[in-house]
Amino acid sequence: MTVADVKEVTAPEGAKFPLKITFAMKGVTASSKVQILHYDAKKAAWEKIDTTVADGTVTGTFSSLSPVAFVVDKTTLTSATGTATSPATSATTVSAVAVLGLAAVAAAFGLKKKAVR
């Protein structure tokens, strides 16, 4: 399994949860193995989201929104390139998520160290 994409997900004001969001992903078929992960800042961890895969799309059911990652089994894709992609991916988003993740780990480690003293 490999991370195909990471993006920040937002919803229109007034959206009601749980919220289903469908993402376009090239190279994905109904038989592809894809998992959506949601970053829970309170737990400082990634959690699995209920995921449905169809030809060209991946749908997740969210109870809150934040960065999400799309993890795929490359051997189950059908594109000529063997990769799945979703629209509007940028290196800035990936970098921001990485920085947030590292900051959360550092904060958790710092709090744990204080509690031990």
Side-chain angles (χ1 to χ4, degrees):
M1 300 290 277
T2 188
V3 176
D5 197 3
V6 177
K7 58 177 64 225
E8 182 72 31
V9 178
T10 59
E13 189 173 320
K16 295 183 181 185
F17 292 93
L19 182 63
K20 281 191 174 191
I21 302 175
T22 299
F23 303 90
M25 291 187 77
K26 294 178 184 175
V28 172
T29 66
S31 62
S32 296
K33 293 181 182 175
V34 181
Q35 180 65 58
I36 299 175
L37 302 177
H38 170 265
Y39 187 74
D40 185 335
K42 292 178 183 177
K43 295 178 184 176
W46 291 91
E47 62 184 7
K48 290 182 180 180
I49 295 296
D50 289 336
T51 305
T52 305
V53 184
D55 292 344
T57 65
V58 178
T59 302
T61 303
F62 297 85
S63 57
S64 65
L65 299 179
S66 70
V68 295
F70 302 88
V71 181
V72 299
D73 179 346
K74 287 184 178 184
T75 64
T76 64
L77 302 178
T78 63
S79 71
T81 61
T83 60
T85 58
S86 59
T89 303
S90 72
T92 304
T93 302
V94 174
S95 298
V97 170
V99 169
L100 284 172
L102 290 173
V105 169
F109 183 77
L111 290 173
K112 188 181 236 183
K113 211 171 191 186
K114 278 186 180 180
V116 172
R117 290 182 187 180

